[in-house]
Amino acid sequence: MNAVQIFDTTLRDGEQAPGYSMNLDEKVRMALQLEALGVDVMEAGFAVASPGDFASVKAVADTVKASSVCSLSRALEKDIDASVAAIRGAARPRIHTFLATSDIHLRYKLRISRADCLRRIRHAVAYARNLCGDVEFSAEDASRTDVDFLCKAFDAAIASGATVVNIPDTVGYSTPDEFGALVAAVMNRVKGIESVTVSTHCHDDLGLAVANSLAGVSAGARQVECTICGIGERAGNAALEEVVMGLRTRRDAYGGLSTRIRTEEIARTAHLLSTITGVRIAPGKAVVGANAFAHESGIHQHGVLSKAETYEIMTPESVGMKKTELVLGKHSGQHALETRLKDLGYDLDAPRLAEVFAAFKALADRKKQITDRDLAALAESRVAARHVGPQEWRLDSFVVNSGNHMSATAQITLVKGKRSVQDAAIGTGPIYAAFRAVEKIIRHRFTLEDYRIEAVTERRDALGEVLVKISDAKGSYRGRGVSTDVIEGSILALLVAVNRMLEAKR
Ligand code: KIV
Ligand code: ZN
């Protein structure tokens, strides 16, 4: 097979990373973008874990058409049943079942013998295969499993109907040479291996996840499990964009193998993940970081201007980092805005476009040059706040007063439907006071878990982008707000989070 299948687990292994949890709508949005990116398989979650996880897996399965959708299950009938029920609506359903095979896991975690382990694998895979035509079996902690036993485990899985066998380096312990040799051993010794797809699933504890995955491909693996920006448990998983661009840029080194990924969608996908989760992409992140194609030194700039290949091994355009000379300002019309937003990956419906256009005009009055990053921030804040309806609070007006020899005060008026409520509060600073005033108006207490503010662009008149995370007894909720006024941006971000919190209560 000349193609390497890309199995994305951003919504499952990625979401397990602290700070990356997503709600149902966010998962569906992310899944649609993963489909546009062209992933062969996406792991939508772990259906049995909770009713919320089940609902998200189901929503993704019911929505996505072009990619296979799978749900993780332990090697237990009840897990497999939950997965089957959740992915029933998928165009291409897959069950992913796993059991640890290393002695350390068998002895201390599962407390079962190797013989029991083989029995469980046979039973779980056969049970799943009876319910679904595509069944993946993962030998958890494969890289620390005795190779002879690992081969027996895969023999058992294949004989019971597995269509894919996955070799996880669960704790990120392997080196590229070792991992390549392990995949080669599986390829050479497991019965019936030629009739199934062999897969890698590498974690990044030693920073080797991508190198190990590529070594696995060189040894014969034809599926790579990975996540956008490498998010995942602990230090994360192999980064999809690095695996894909590694294979594409160094086709010569990887025997001409290719993937079906639409690489021009890579940057948009990474930015969407960052927007949804509120976690910024590190500037030096390979392939998608802001500096990935920035050439600072004079020698490099000169070289790139003469011939890009002197210092660029791939083009920014090939991963969807579009640059534009088009400058939008206060005289630009809605059509120009719409065209630019489409180039940036935002295809908004008419009401949302009208909202962004109004925000754009208001911004153009305060700021001379509106950049792509400003536009993306405006669009994102509107997309993130898309649930605002008659049941939700909106900002009408605010006044804050603060100074170095006084307590800060904030007076805020919020509107809900036709009702307008005003209250005031004092605090140690203007944001604190404003948040207290909001809390008094909505009559629901919350804890501020995280507050971050960043300038969207470099200049003094930059938009400030505020990310807020609050929690109550039921869960935690994020909000994002943008404004040239950081206090307004903060209140807008808080209201997005507050509306989500109150919606969860209803
Ligand atoms: O890291 C791991 O072993 C896993 C398995 C469930 C595939 O995530
Ligand atoms: Zn994992």
Side-chain angles (χ1 to χ4, degrees):
M1 213 202 311
N2 245 357
V4 175
Q5 303 210 357
I6 296 297
F7 174 119
D8 179 276
T9 182
T10 304
L11 298 174
R12 199 276 298 169
D13 223 343
E15 210 236 357
Q16 282 173 219
Y20 284 98
S21 65
M22 296 173 229
N23 66 27
L24 186 145
D25 286 342
E26 292 166 340
K27 284 188 182 168
V28 171
R29 231 175 115 205
M30 197 64 219
L32 285 169
Q33 181 54 37
L34 290 170
E35 184 180 34
L37 178 66
V39 303
D40 297 282
V41 188
M42 68 178 84
E43 187 157 57
F46 193 3
V48 81
S50 71
D53 282 59
F54 181 91
S56 313
V57 175
K58 179 165 170 19
V60 169
D62 291 349
T63 309
V64 167
K65 296 285 167 273
S67 315
S68 296
V69 176
C70 85
S71 168
L72 185 66
S73 335
R74 289 166 298 180
L76 297 174
E77 288 187 8
K78 70 168 177 153
D79 285 34
I80 295 167
D81 288 341
S83 287
V84 169
I87 61 168
R88 187 159 289 137
R92 298 155 196 265
R94 174 182 290 183
I95 296 295
H96 180 190
T97 184
F98 74 99
L99 189 66
T101 48
S102 65
D103 287 334
I104 185 167
H105 278 238
L106 295 188
R107 182 156 175 210
Y108 295 104
K109 185 182 84 173
L110 300 171
R111 295 174 201 279
I112 58 171
S113 65
R114 285 186 176 187
D116 287 336
C117 175
L118 294 180
R119 258 193 295 277
R120 281 206 200 174
I121 293 171
R122 278 192 209 98
H123 182 75
V125 173
Y127 186 80
R129 187 57 204 270
N130 211 14
L131 300 168
C132 183
D134 191 6
V135 174
E136 171 169 336
F137 170 70
S138 286
E140 191 189 10
D141 206 19
S143 55
R144 293 192 300 169
T145 300
D146 169 60
V147 183
D148 290 339
F149 183 63
L150 183 66
C151 291
K152 282 192 185 134
F154 286 148
D155 284 343
I158 294 171
S160 309
T163 47
V164 181
V165 291
N166 183 33
I167 310 177
D169 182 22
T170 302
V171 289
Y173 179 72
S174 227
T175 65
D177 285 350
E178 274 171 16
F179 197 73
L182 181 63
V183 174
V186 169
M187 301 294 303
N188 290 330
R189 289 163 55 179
V190 173
K191 289 189 211 95
I193 199 76
E194 59 297 331
S195 60
V196 303
T197 304
V198 176
S199 169
T200 68
H201 177 111
C202 297
H203 279 271
D204 208 30
D205 300 66
L206 295 175
L208 293 171
V210 171
N212 286 342
S213 306
L214 293 175
V217 168
S218 292
R222 288 296 175 268
Q223 175 178 281
V224 174
E225 302 197 354
C226 44
T227 60
I228 301 300
C229 293
I231 68 167
E233 279 275 340
R234 305 180 314 277
N237 291 55
L240 179 148
E241 64 280 2
E242 295 175 23
V243 170
V244 168
M245 292 315 286
L247 287 172
R248 183 176 144 148
T249 309
R250 297 304 315 274
R251 255 184 116 157
D252 56 327
Y254 293 104
L257 291 170
S258 57
T259 71
R260 293 188 197 88
I261 295 296
R262 290 178 203 102
T263 59
E264 328 74 64
E265 292 290 328
I266 284 179
R268 184 173 303 160
T269 313
H271 291 142
L272 179 63
L273 177 68
S274 158
T275 298
I276 286 177
T277 59
V279 182
R280 293 231 151 224
I281 301 171
K285 168 77 191 65
V287 183
V288 290
N291 294 345
F293 295 95
H295 302 280
E296 191 74 25
S297 89
I299 297 173
H300 286 208
Q301 284 174 352
H302 175 72
V304 170
L305 287 175
S306 314
K307 187 153 178 68
E309 285 91 329
T310 51
Y311 286 100
E312 275 181 8
I313 58 166
M314 53 194 157
T315 63
E317 291 78 13
S318 67
V319 296
M321 302 262 216
K322 274 197 199 164
K323 287 246 172 353
T324 177
E325 298 307 320
L326 187 67
V327 176
L328 293 183
K330 67 176 171 189
H331 300 298
S332 308
Q334 184 160 325
H335 185 65
L337 175 73
E338 185 179 9
T339 308
R340 191 70 210 122
L341 284 172
K342 277 199 178 137
D343 281 349
L344 294 171
Y346 299 99
D347 203 352
L348 304 180
D349 58 20
R352 203 128 304 127
L353 180 63
E355 276 183 33
V356 176
F357 187 59
F360 162 74
K361 283 286 177 186
L363 180 62
D365 278 338
R366 301 188 201 173
K367 194 172 186 290
K368 260 200 202 137
Q369 275 193 357
I370 303 204
T371 66
D372 286 350
R373 280 156 71 193
D374 292 326
L375 292 179
L378 286 183
E380 281 305 336
S381 67
R382 291 308 177 283
V383 174
R386 67 194 183 287
H387 289 308
V388 176
Q391 287 306 305
E392 272 89 34
W393 293 101
R394 289 166 186 268
L395 176 64
D396 178 39
S397 62
F398 71 92
V399 179
V400 294
N401 195 9
S402 73
N404 56 346
H405 294 301
M406 59 187 283
S407 297
T409 58
Q411 186 180 9
I412 295 193
T413 307
L414 298 184
V415 177
K416 185 181 190 179
K418 294 204 166 78
R419 199 153 67 92
S420 168
V421 186
Q422 189 178 78
D423 216 322
I426 55 172
T428 47
I431 308 278
Y432 184 131
F435 283 16
R436 271 294 298 137
V438 169
E439 202 171 37
K440 284 164 88 176
I441 294 172
I442 65 166
R443 293 166 177 272
H444 187 87
R445 290 190 76 86
F446 55 81
T447 305
L448 184 61
E449 300 275 353
D450 197 9
Y451 173 89
R452 270 177 286 158
I453 182 158
E454 280 192 43
V456 173
T457 46
E458 292 79 19
R459 296 164 57 109
R460 283 184 188 200
D461 58 358
L463 272 183
E465 183 177 39
V466 181
L467 298 164
V468 161
K469 188 173 166 199
I470 59 172
S471 66
D472 67 1
K474 280 198 136 183
S476 53
Y477 313 88
R478 277 188 309 272
R480 171 185 295 251
V482 287
S483 171
T484 48
D485 180 320
V486 296
I487 298 180
E488 184 181 30
S490 304
I491 300 171
L492 291 173
L494 178 65
L495 287 179
V496 174
V498 155
N499 284 327
R500 285 184 169 163
M501 175 176 73
L502 298 178
E503 184 184 285
K505 204 162 82 85
R506 279 198 286 273

